[in-house]
Amino acid sequence: MHLEQLLEKTFGYRSFRLGQKEIVEDVIKGRDVLAMLPTGGGKSLCYQLPGYVLRGSVLIVSPLVSLMEDQVQQLRTRGEKRVIALNSFLANDVRQAALADLRRFRFIYASPEILQSPKWFAALKKAGVSLFVVDEAHCISQWGHDFRPDFLKLGDIRKKLGTPPCLALTATAPPEVIDDIVATLGLTNVRRHIYPVDRPNIAIKVECVMSVEEKIERLIHYVKTLQGPGVIYVSSRQWAEVLARKLQAEGIDKTAYYHGGMDAEQRMLVQQQFLRDQLQLVCCTNAFGMGVNKGNIRYVIHFHMPGQMEAYVQEIGRAGRDGKNSIAILLYTHGDEDMVQSLIETELPTKEQIQLFIEHMAFSHTAESSAAQLLPSMLGLSETQWRMLSYIFEKERSSLRGLEHMQANMLQMIEERREWKRNKLNEMRAWLFRSLCRREQIVSYFHQRLSEKPVACCDVCGLTLENYRKQLQSDDEAAWTFHSWREELKRMFFKAGKLDEKAD
Ligand SMILES: [Zn+2]
């Protein structure tokens, strides 16, 4: 069967999107592949289609449980039953059955942490992995914006699994991060498929205002006039809640907030309601996004600037996945960068915290003791800080050069990271204030070239908002209000009744 036939039969698509076919062909040939596709470019198809050609299971390592669950759900909706996500939420019987026989699954999703478990690892080894996929592979690089130390162990894990062919996927990685991914995963003779980061259907606008009050006014104006659905990014949990309430008070309903401080159920609910168009607007921190596969987001507004270009590109990339015109607006007021700067500072552990951490470790000798889950809060460390220090600790432990040496090394590495983050922020600032085409600047940041500028490019090139204004509501949109399930049913029957009348 031709790949196109398989594509239509299994996924219902008539043709491949940019780059997909070339990537799939190399993966099926058993080559190591690094693929950078723009956000929303259909990365998952690059391993899902080969899953129907290759013998043996496809293992997909993914950084987020919600992201995995979302992918599993999508595959099941397509009728694929042989799919599982290995995580701590598995029911006991499912877990036991899976441990006994993983081979019957075509797609196995797993977090890097769960691969550390000897039981799961043994089950995977027995099953035979035909393709080792690393999703969001920039998490591997300590210079990637979502650095996850656990991802660094993936090279070893792959080796222990018998070095199956590897597909590393990312949407936003500058060349140095790509080199890091290739080295860490030990990819040999790797085929690099790097596609343009530019998304021509997203217009880019930066607007400088005089004060925070004015920023809120502008935000309300945009939300009232722009065609939704929309996403508003802020830099803190408090702001997400404050803005959502402000907008609700302005009569903008179907608005919710989303951040990492909410419990999993609440977050899932908001995500689902947004996906189903029951919500029109989400005010959120960067916790929202990965795994939100929604085609019709028409605008993304940054109420606060992100700390680096990679994050910005990833966040605006959630708009317009259906290919239709969309807009990204960043609102800036003097002093916003100070907020980012202080976030950077609080994210990194202090000298005192490092000292405490080392003193503790000197006695327990390992970052993975039984009480490990309680330790971060006992030592006053955030999860990120804990991960970072544990990573350096594990790395340095073998050098046997004493605690003092380790502490000095930790301080130096933290300092390097601070410096690196400052540089990233400076690059972001430069982008804001340079009077050059915003799109061209983004593309050149990723060492790429813009082949063609869209008509609706950016505020520097000239941009009218006319095309992004709210359209008259269609019937479907008018039905966006919340109903109880009774009302919902009544409404559906009523609609059906109307159709019948017409047919008569
Ligand atoms: Zn431009």
Side-chain angles (χ1 to χ4, degrees):
M1 200 189 283
H2 283 298
L3 282 180
E4 276 85 358
Q5 286 171 305
L6 184 63
L7 178 72
E8 188 165 3
K9 188 178 148 240
T10 321
F11 295 89
Y13 301 136
R14 286 278 171 84
S15 57
F16 285 100
R17 286 159 89 169
L18 179 71
Q20 283 177 332
K21 190 176 181 187
E22 293 76 8
I23 295 168
V24 166
E25 280 172 341
D26 273 340
V27 167
I28 291 173
K29 279 181 202 152
R31 307 193 61 154
D32 287 342
V33 177
L34 182 132
M36 179 165 122
L37 284 172
T39 47
K43 283 185 288 163
S44 47
L45 189 109
C46 299
Y47 61 83
Q48 288 175 351
L49 189 65
Y52 291 92
V53 179
L54 301 169
R55 283 175 189 200
S57 308
V58 176
L59 171 68
I60 307 109
V61 187
S62 175
L64 279 181
V65 175
S66 61
L67 187 62
M68 280 186 244
E69 290 297 339
D70 190 62
Q71 303 271 8
V72 168
Q73 213 47 51
Q74 282 176 31
L75 279 166
R76 289 206 180 120
T77 316
R78 270 194 206 107
E80 177 57 64
K81 291 196 180 78
R82 296 166 57 194
V83 54
I84 189 169
L86 311 184
N87 57 49
S88 45
F89 300 114
L90 283 180
N92 203 30
D93 52 333
V94 181
R95 179 192 197 81
Q96 291 308 327
L99 274 170
D101 182 18
L102 264 183
R103 202 185 305 246
R104 62 201 171 90
F105 293 102
R106 199 191 293 273
F107 301 106
I108 303 167
Y109 286 84
S111 64
E113 293 82 12
I114 214 150
L115 295 178
Q116 303 289 319
S117 140
K119 266 191 195 169
W120 281 118
F121 182 81
L124 273 168
K125 187 147 189 166
K126 201 172 117 200
V129 171
S130 61
L131 177 63
F132 188 92
V133 182
V134 183
D135 201 6
E136 309 291 345
H138 54 263
C139 295
I140 281 175
S141 170
Q142 58 173 316
W143 310 122
H145 56 288
D146 297 319
F147 175 48
R148 290 271 298 265
D150 294 304
F151 266 67
L152 286 173
K153 298 171 183 158
L154 293 180
D156 264 355
I157 289 173
R158 177 175 168 243
K159 222 188 257 170
K160 286 189 207 149
L161 283 172
T163 319
C166 180
L167 167 64
L169 291 162
T170 180
T172 40
E176 64 272 22
V177 172
I178 288 183
D179 290 342
D180 226 5
I181 296 171
V182 168
T184 308
L185 286 173
L187 306 184
T188 45
N189 281 324
V190 60
R191 299 274 294 186
R192 296 176 191 227
H193 291 273
I194 311 285
Y195 289 92
V197 287
D198 182 44
R199 297 273 307 281
N201 63 321
I202 304 174
I204 302 165
K205 180 176 166 67
V206 172
E207 188 173 326
C208 295
V209 294
M210 296 306 287
S211 63
V212 179
E213 291 71 30
E214 193 187 341
K215 211 196 241 191
I216 295 174
E217 265 168 45
R218 293 304 290 160
L219 178 74
I220 293 171
H221 164 77
Y222 281 128
V223 169
K224 283 187 172 169
T225 52
L226 292 177
Q227 174 66 33
V231 175
I232 296 165
Y233 277 107
V234 295
S235 62
S236 75
R237 295 170 179 183
Q238 290 90 326
W239 268 107
E241 296 191 16
V242 166
L243 281 187
R245 296 214 176 93
K246 261 202 172 7
L247 291 169
Q248 284 160 352
E250 284 290 320
I252 301 155
D253 49 4
K254 299 159 210 159
T255 300
Y257 59 84
Y258 183 108
H259 57 67
M262 293 154 64
D263 62 47
E265 263 172 44
Q266 270 180 307
R267 274 184 289 167
M268 188 67 91
L269 182 68
V270 171
Q271 192 169 318
Q272 288 305 318
Q273 287 179 329
F274 188 58
L275 285 174
R276 291 182 191 151
D277 289 336
Q278 291 164 336
L279 283 170
Q280 272 286 281
L281 194 59
V282 180
C283 301
C284 56
T285 62
N286 59 6
F288 186 74
M290 262 202 235
V292 179
N293 202 357
K294 183 174 169 65
N296 65 343
I297 297 175
R298 294 275 72 89
Y299 64 85
V300 170
I301 297 178
H302 278 89
F303 189 80
H304 295 129
M305 64 190 283
Q308 55 181 286
M309 195 51 90
E310 287 92 328
Y312 177 71
V313 169
Q314 196 143 45
E315 285 161 13
I316 68 168
R318 303 209 158 105
R321 296 203 171 176
D322 55 8
K324 292 182 186 165
N325 281 344
S326 310
I327 186 162
I329 299 175
L330 188 147
L331 297 170
Y332 171 84
T333 191
H334 180 69
D336 278 358
E337 56 271 62
D338 300 342
M339 203 153 140
V340 184
Q341 185 64 52
S342 71
L343 278 176
I344 294 174
E345 295 306 326
T346 45
E347 192 195 290
L348 296 167
T350 61
K351 205 173 167 182
E352 291 72 33
Q353 284 172 318
I354 293 176
Q355 177 104 36
L356 261 176
F357 178 87
I358 291 202
E359 277 167 15
H360 175 84
M361 287 303 172
F363 293 105
S364 77
H365 299 288
T366 170
E368 287 157 14
S369 67
S370 57
Q373 275 180 326
L374 296 172
L375 270 177
S377 58
M378 272 166 57
L379 299 175
L381 294 167
S382 73
E383 206 189 317
T384 319
Q385 292 172 334
W386 170 258
R387 278 200 197 128
M388 207 180 289
L389 292 181
S390 308
Y391 160 66
I392 306 172
F393 182 82
E394 292 291 323
K395 206 173 138 197
E396 294 285 314
R397 195 164 50 151
S398 50
S399 74
L400 298 172
R401 287 167 74 181
L403 293 176
E404 225 161 274
H405 185 261
M406 186 182 293
Q407 186 170 355
N409 264 0
M410 274 188 179
L411 280 171
Q412 193 194 331
M413 284 180 85
I414 301 294
E415 198 43 53
E416 275 171 19
R417 191 147 179 91
R418 175 175 291 124
E419 204 45 45
W420 176 77
K421 289 219 156 197
R422 275 187 194 147
N423 285 337
K424 289 280 170 186
L425 176 59
N426 284 339
E427 282 165 332
M428 194 70 211
R429 277 192 85 235
W431 176 79
L432 285 176
F433 297 122
R434 241 183 250 130
S435 50
L436 293 171
C437 169
R438 308 222 179 260
R439 190 176 305 271
E440 263 174 5
Q441 289 188 69
I442 292 177
V443 166
S444 78
Y445 178 87
F446 288 96
H447 298 230
Q448 296 186 347
R449 271 213 185 131
L450 201 60
S451 52
E452 202 183 340
K453 258 189 213 180
V455 181
C457 179
C458 67
D459 58 301
V460 179
C461 296
L463 189 64
T464 156
L465 293 185
E466 212 42 58
N467 295 331
Y468 308 96
R469 290 207 194 286
K470 254 192 180 93
Q471 321 267 304
L472 278 176
Q473 285 198 339
S474 68
D475 273 5
D476 277 350
E477 280 171 300
W480 266 334
T481 352
F482 283 107
H483 297 288
S484 69
W485 65 270
R486 269 177 226 280
E487 279 175 279
E488 200 68 37
L489 276 177
K490 234 198 290 183
R491 217 169 46 84
M492 283 162 72
F493 279 119
F494 178 66
K495 258 196 167 174
K498 262 205 316 203
L499 285 177
D500 284 344
E501 273 167 34
K502 254 189 203 163
D504 286 343

